[in-house]
Amino acid sequence: MTAQNIDARALRDAFGAFPTGVTVVTAQDHAGLPIGFTANSFTSVSLDPPLLLVCLAKTSRNFATMTSAKHFAINVLSEAQKDISNTFARPVEDRFATVEWDAGADGCPILADVAAWFECGMEQVIDAGDHVILMGRIASFHNSGRNGLGYARGGYFTPILASKAVSAATEGNIELGAVLERDGEILLLGEDIFALPSCEGREGSPTEILCDYLQELTGLSVTIGFLYSVYEGKSDGKHHIVYRAFTSQGEPREGRFFKPDALTKTRFKTSATADIVARFALESQIGNFGVYFGDETSGTVRPVSTKVARA
Amino acid sequence: MTAQNIDARALRDAFGAFPTGVTVVTAQDHAGLPIGFTANSFTSVSLDPPLLLVCLAKTSRNFATMTSAKHFAINVLSEAQKDISNTFARPVEDRFATVEWDAGADGCPILADVAAWFECGMEQVIDAGDHVILMGRIASFHNSGRNGLGYARGGYFTPILASKAVSAATEGNIELGAVLERDGEILLLGEDIFALPSCEGREGSPTEILCDYLQELTGLSVTIGFLYSVYEGKSDGKHHIVYRAFTSQGEPREGRFFKPDALTKTRFKTSATADIVARFALESQIGNFGVYFGDETSGTVRPVSTKVARA
């Protein structure tokens, strides 16, 4: 794809190929109230002097406050803090109501149990297309040693989940499932009652087994991504290991692709499937409007009350 | 830790709490020859206009060439390209000799089989402490759909390895091992012949089982990180699942911490252990001098010929 015809959606998807952590950027507004938003467009910059940067969308409702702030903090979320990432990426009335936090030396909210935090003086605000770059000079920081929450191709990943999958595998009786995406849509099987594509686990590489199954099922070329969910099925007693999977072109031989927000009234084979689809709907909305752009935007995102599925 | 006494090593370790992908930044030098270096200090910036940035150390031997380049490319490495990351982070004579690549429309080397690539015009070079920020305007890009190679707290992580661990677990007969780090040193057990700490796997969370074992063994507080290695032991026929683990304070009740480069003449219990320690030595050197600083530096890093251990 070349400059003459750069498609914003395709570019955003390509940016998503670079895995990142997730941060919550915080500051005090003019009234002394805490503000914060989820961003993954963060990078360390310099050790001496100690500098870092994060990108902020010009459409952000925090734009004026953030760009005039004298201080801000970067909270690098830990792997158990997916809910905090979601909260600070959505238009929630009081984002700080449900998190534990304390003010840093310069008054910026420092969230509890993060992987690391950095409190900065604002060094420079640099204009950069539809975003600005906030460059901060680190005044104080802390490294907790916790694992960071990861984010890649529009979804979270964590070391914990890999450990749960290994644990499930040691117990046997495995079912391998897939959240198979194509351009933000998800593949479901069935006519009235829908299910995710899945196959029985056996000895050998689970991602190869699942990839072969999905390619045979759909006739499409498939890539398996990070783990999405690991749970024990209430009805079948099986250990379900669900991966993210991606395909890009063609019509599937079996099943159909659905926009996740068109599935609110759909019936699913199990409540676990319903949870996974609801979570996919929630997180792809955040992927579109939140985390990836480095901020929630001022767009007309409606509050999402969907319960987040089990991890 | 506050500004008055910011320790560069502690700050770098705290920066490492934010997981990232790994890129190889490439350009043509004045003679038309390809240049390139490994960097993880990359972030997407803007969709319209399409902008990205990467940080480059002022001490880099590519500094003059890169800052005067009219074009550069970002190659987002895929999960199978750890060796390429290592090659472009070390002082190798001809880094392009061992990789497949092609010139992009603007002459920048595009590596084969990456997760995504972006070829950019140089938009701006921004001074930022001991680094500069290279901001690029994307002229063309490609997204292959492959999983990106991940990097966190000084080590790589990949979805493939998690899949291998699940596969090993389905076959049973598991041994859980740890590369336990403290300030860049590694814990080994034994007097003349050394081994990594390890315990038998059983049903339940492998990271909890391993964490309990390590804390009991050392009397120290331990965090388990990403998977490090999965292999079948030649001598014991067991499936070894090795995690990275971290501890920060105190003397261990059993075992000793060693600097990895002090272990070249050490005898190990198995060749797999020797491979893991050699890989740790190689990668912690890169962590110090390469990937993390966003470039190899002009420092006196000696070429490392150590064979990289199996993943």
Side-chain angles (χ1 to χ4, degrees):
Chain A
M1 199 160 274
T2 57
Q4 285 68 45
N5 61 341
I6 279 188
D7 171 65
R9 163 107 206 187
L11 177 59
R12 201 199 55 200
D13 288 349
F15 280 156
F18 183 81
T20 66
V22 180
T23 73
V24 168
V25 186
T26 58
Q28 264 188 355
D29 71 7
H30 305 298
L33 293 173
I35 60 169
F37 61 91
T38 302
N40 71 338
S41 54
F42 162 86
T43 184
S44 54
V45 173
S46 167
L47 288 176
D48 184 19
L51 302 174
L52 54 74
L53 69 79
V54 67
C55 300
L56 172 70
K58 287 181 179 170
T59 52
S60 161
R61 61 178 166 134
N62 288 318
F63 184 77
T65 313
M66 282 305 306
T67 51
S68 61
K70 290 206 166 52
H71 306 278
F72 67 93
I74 298 287
N75 295 272
V76 179
L77 297 186
S78 61
E79 60 179 338
Q81 297 185 312
K82 213 160 58 176
D83 288 351
I84 296 181
S85 169
N86 290 341
T87 298
F88 281 82
R90 288 189 289 148
V92 171
E93 186 67 38
D94 178 4
R95 290 172 167 172
F96 289 88
T98 55
V99 298
E100 224 182 296
W101 63 278
D102 234 320
D106 292 318
C108 301
I110 306 295
L111 308 187
D113 301 329
V114 292
W117 59 259
F118 306 89
E119 195 174 30
C120 306
M122 185 72 78
E123 180 81 359
Q124 211 181 335
V125 178
I126 301 162
D127 192 75
D130 54 28
H131 282 61
V132 290
I133 298 168
L134 307 178
M135 195 189 293
R137 179 184 286 248
I138 298 158
S140 56
F141 69 98
H142 178 70
N143 177 6
S144 74
R146 287 186 185 83
N147 292 314
L149 176 63
Y151 191 76
R153 295 209 184 276
Y156 300 109
F157 63 88
T158 64
I160 290 175
L161 202 54
S163 177
K164 283 179 77 173
V166 171
S167 172
T170 57
E171 296 179 34
N173 199 13
I174 301 292
E175 184 80 9
L176 299 170
V179 172
L180 179 59
E181 298 178 40
R182 191 192 61 188
D183 292 337
E185 297 188 333
I186 181 172
L187 184 83
L188 294 173
L189 304 178
E191 285 302 322
D192 299 317
I193 298 176
F194 292 94
L196 294 172
S198 72
C199 65
E200 207 170 314
R202 54 174 197 275
E203 284 197 9
S205 160
T207 52
E208 280 174 27
I209 293 166
L210 185 61
C211 189
D212 289 348
Y213 160 74
L214 292 172
Q215 296 195 144
E216 176 64 28
L217 179 80
T218 61
L220 304 173
S221 168
V222 170
T223 306
I224 308 292
F226 279 97
L227 284 161
Y228 194 75
S229 180
V230 177
Y231 65 94
E232 193 171 341
K234 277 179 205 151
S235 47
D236 61 10
K238 286 187 161 191
H239 295 101
H240 292 255
I241 301 180
V242 183
Y243 287 87
R244 300 183 72 210
F246 302 89
T247 185
S248 52
Q249 20 69 35
E251 276 312 301
R253 201 147 49 197
E254 285 205 40
R256 270 183 298 159
F257 284 97
F258 292 89
K259 283 195 203 313
D261 52 8
L263 293 169
T264 43
K265 288 182 180 168
T266 310
R267 288 176 62 204
F268 295 99
K269 209 175 140 197
T270 65
S271 64
T273 310
D275 283 353
I276 286 173
V277 173
R279 181 183 142 199
F280 180 78
L282 169 66
E283 291 179 3
S284 43
Q285 199 174 44
I286 289 170
N288 287 330
F289 294 103
V291 179
Y292 208 81
F293 283 90
D295 189 15
E296 90 282 61
T297 71
S298 56
T300 55
V301 186
R302 66 173 194 288
V304 179
S305 59
T306 324
K307 209 174 119 273
V308 176
R310 68 204 72 179
Chain B
M1 200 161 272
T2 57
Q4 284 67 46
N5 61 342
I6 279 189
D7 171 65
R9 162 107 206 188
L11 177 59
R12 202 199 54 200
D13 288 349
F15 280 157
F18 183 81
T20 66
V22 180
T23 73
V24 168
V25 186
T26 58
Q28 264 187 354
D29 71 8
H30 304 298
L33 293 173
I35 60 169
F37 61 90
T38 302
N40 71 338
S41 54
F42 162 85
T43 185
S44 54
V45 173
S46 167
L47 289 176
D48 184 19
L51 302 174
L52 54 73
L53 69 80
V54 68
C55 300
L56 172 70
K58 287 181 179 171
T59 51
S60 161
R61 61 178 166 135
N62 289 317
F63 184 77
T65 313
M66 281 305 306
T67 50
S68 61
K70 289 205 166 53
H71 306 278
F72 67 93
I74 299 287
N75 295 272
V76 179
L77 297 186
S78 60
E79 60 179 338
Q81 298 185 311
K82 213 159 58 175
D83 288 351
I84 296 181
S85 169
N86 289 340
T87 298
F88 281 81
R90 288 189 289 148
V92 171
E93 186 68 37
D94 178 5
R95 290 172 167 173
F96 289 88
T98 54
V99 299
E100 224 182 295
W101 64 278
D102 234 320
D106 291 319
C108 302
I110 305 295
L111 308 187
D113 301 330
V114 292
W117 59 259
F118 306 89
E119 196 175 29
C120 306
M122 184 72 77
E123 180 81 0
Q124 211 181 335
V125 178
I126 301 162
D127 193 74
D130 55 27
H131 282 61
V132 290
I133 298 168
L134 307 178
M135 195 189 294
R137 180 184 285 249
I138 297 159
S140 56
F141 69 97
H142 178 69
N143 177 6
S144 74
R146 287 185 185 83
N147 292 314
L149 175 63
Y151 191 75
R153 295 209 184 276
Y156 300 109
F157 63 89
T158 64
I160 290 174
L161 201 54
S163 177
K164 283 179 77 173
V166 171
S167 173
T170 56
E171 296 179 33
N173 198 13
I174 302 292
E175 185 81 9
L176 299 171
V179 172
L180 178 59
E181 298 178 41
R182 191 192 61 188
D183 291 336
E185 298 188 332
I186 182 172
L187 184 82
L188 294 173
L189 304 178
E191 285 303 321
D192 299 318
I193 298 176
F194 291 94
L196 294 171
S198 73
C199 65
E200 207 171 315
R202 55 175 197 274
E203 285 197 9
S205 160
T207 51
E208 280 174 27
I209 293 166
L210 185 61
C211 189
D212 288 348
Y213 160 74
L214 292 172
Q215 297 195 143
E216 176 64 27
L217 179 79
T218 61
L220 304 173
S221 168
V222 169
T223 306
I224 307 292
F226 279 98
L227 284 161
Y228 193 76
S229 180
V230 178
Y231 66 94
E232 194 171 340
K234 278 179 205 152
S235 48
D236 61 9
K238 286 187 162 192
H239 295 101
H240 292 255
I241 301 180
V242 183
Y243 286 87
R244 300 183 72 210
F246 302 90
T247 185
S248 52
Q249 20 69 35
E251 276 312 301
R253 201 145 51 196
E254 285 205 40
R256 270 183 297 159
F257 283 97
F258 292 89
K259 283 194 203 313
D261 51 8
L263 293 169
T264 44
K265 288 182 179 167
T266 310
R267 289 176 62 204
F268 294 99
K269 208 175 140 197
T270 66
S271 63
T273 310
D275 283 354
I276 287 173
V277 173
R279 181 182 142 200
F280 180 79
L282 170 65
E283 291 179 3
S284 42
Q285 199 173 44
I286 289 170
N288 287 331
F289 294 103
V291 179
Y292 209 82
F293 282 91
D295 190 14
E296 90 282 62
T297 70
S298 56
T300 55
V301 186
R302 67 174 194 287
V304 179
S305 60
T306 324
K307 209 174 121 272
V308 176
R310 68 204 72 179

